[in-house]
Amino acid sequence: MDYFAGLDVSVKETSVCIVDDAGKIVREARVASEPEALLQVLTNTIYRFKRVGLEAGPLSQWLYSVLAEAGLPVICVETRHMRAVLKAQINKTDRNDARGIAQMMRVGLYRPVHVKTLRSQKLRMLLTHRKLLQSKAIAIENDLRATLRNFGLKVVGTVKFEGRIKELVENLPDVAVLVEPLLVVRRVLREQVGILHRRLLAIVRDDDVCRRLMTVPGVGPVVALTYRATVDVPARFRNSKAVGAVFGLTPSKYQSGENERTGAISRCGDEMMRMMLYEAAQSMLVRSAKWSWLKAWAMKIARHRGIKKAIVALARRLAVIMHRIWVDGSEFRWTREVAAA
């Protein structure tokens, strides 16, 4: 007899539900959210598991790796899909959620997600920390600009930012005392951003895939490494055209009876990657002076549909081209003739 298990994972404890192939609950337990405690329940020899499901979340990557190494057929389920299925329950409890996940595994009503490799998780951590420090430094700069403007002190640009502020508050000692702590924090944040950015550049320099991705116009080290960490395993996509949909860059559609409408992009998937692709497309279309068949294609869309839609379309096509470059081991072809060849 085959068995199916559902794990509702929280920070401290995990609710476990095991059902047989007829849907009958054979065991329920509440254990600590630690691999040893879960394996003690799931490695019992009387159960032959066909599927073990858990929801994608902060602890799911860690637990998934341990359970997979133990030989369990573990599946990480997409969060929005699972939420939609479990919403039918009247009472929302961890125990009921575990029961619902187990039944989803039994009937095959789930959508699996890719669990990233350890290297991609580390790269993602680098990118996330760099972005966090950068955003905090920008927030401090904006706050200083706004508060000093109340005294008629205007700070324009970021070149010699700290020196300009000290010059403005030189004759206002009471204001200078309040400004100094923020300047110190900003200076430290900028130094640490520089350290992380140099680490990022070193990784990109030694990575053949990132160097080939950077042959695409508008794609720099940050975009290339973000794409590398997000896609992780290019073979998980059946074809390159599917990448744009996974990153939420394809239009959403609603159809019911005689009503049918196409909306904005779905915005599903990885938000950081979507932002990076949008910035790369905007850089190619607006700032870059170098011409290519890809830019000509986007400019044609801009003339007929507007610049914003052209940037989104170009971002989607960049995702497709970068995936094909990664799979083929090739580089970007600047002309149609070379691409056709």
Side-chain angles (χ1 to χ4, degrees), residues 256-323:
S256 178
E258 291 75 27
N259 298 324
E260 183 174 352
R261 62 177 181 267
T262 301
I265 58 174
S266 63
R267 296 180 183 272
C268 65
D270 194 277
E271 183 181 2
M272 181 187 290
M273 186 70 258
R274 188 164 57 252
M275 290 174 58
M276 290 290 106
L277 290 170
Y278 188 90
E279 290 179 8
Q282 190 175 36
S283 175
M284 183 200 301
L285 205 58
V286 178
R287 304 189 191 99
S288 177
K290 198 167 183 180
W291 203 260
S292 66
W293 67 269
L294 187 58
K295 183 174 181 178
W297 173 83
M299 291 298 292
K300 185 177 180 181
I301 295 177
R303 285 194 299 269
H304 292 87
R305 304 296 299 275
I307 188 68
K308 290 185 178 180
K309 290 187 177 180
I311 292 174
V312 173
L314 181 57
R316 181 170 61 249
R317 192 154 190 180
L318 279 176
V320 175
I321 291 173
M322 291 168 72
H323 181 267

Side-chain angles (χ1 to χ4, degrees), residues 64 68 81 83 99 152 163 165 180 217 223 255 290 297:
Y64 177 93
H81 188 252
R83 187 186 300 119
R99 289 179 175 180
I165 289 182
E180 183 61 28
V223 178
Q255 190 274 327
K290 198 167 183 180
W297 173 83

Side-chain angles (χ1 to χ4, degrees), residues 65-85:
S65 301
V66 176
L67 296 178
E69 289 177 2
L72 292 170
V74 61
I75 297 171
C76 195
V77 184
E78 201 267 330
T79 305
R80 291 191 300 176
H81 188 252
M82 179 174 287
R83 187 186 300 119
V85 175

Side-chain angles (χ1 to χ4, degrees), residues 116-173:
K116 292 183 174 60
T117 60
L118 183 61
R119 183 174 187 271
S120 289
Q121 294 177 34
K122 292 178 180 177
L123 294 177
R124 183 72 178 198
M125 185 177 179
L126 169 62
L127 292 163
T128 305
H129 289 183
R130 175 187 173 277
K131 182 182 178 182
L132 174 65
L133 296 181
Q134 194 176 47
S135 64
K136 297 303 179 184
I138 293 173
I140 290 176
E141 292 172 1
N142 292 337
D143 187 79
L144 285 170
R145 286 193 180 94
T147 51
L148 290 176
R149 205 172 295 150
N150 295 327
F151 304 96
L153 307 176
K154 301 177 182 179
V155 184
V156 181
T158 56
V159 179
K160 298 181 180 179
F161 182 85
E162 186 173 342
R164 174 60 178 164
I165 289 182
K166 288 182 177 180
E167 179 185 337
L168 291 172
V169 300
E170 186 176 2
N171 298 324
L172 299 171

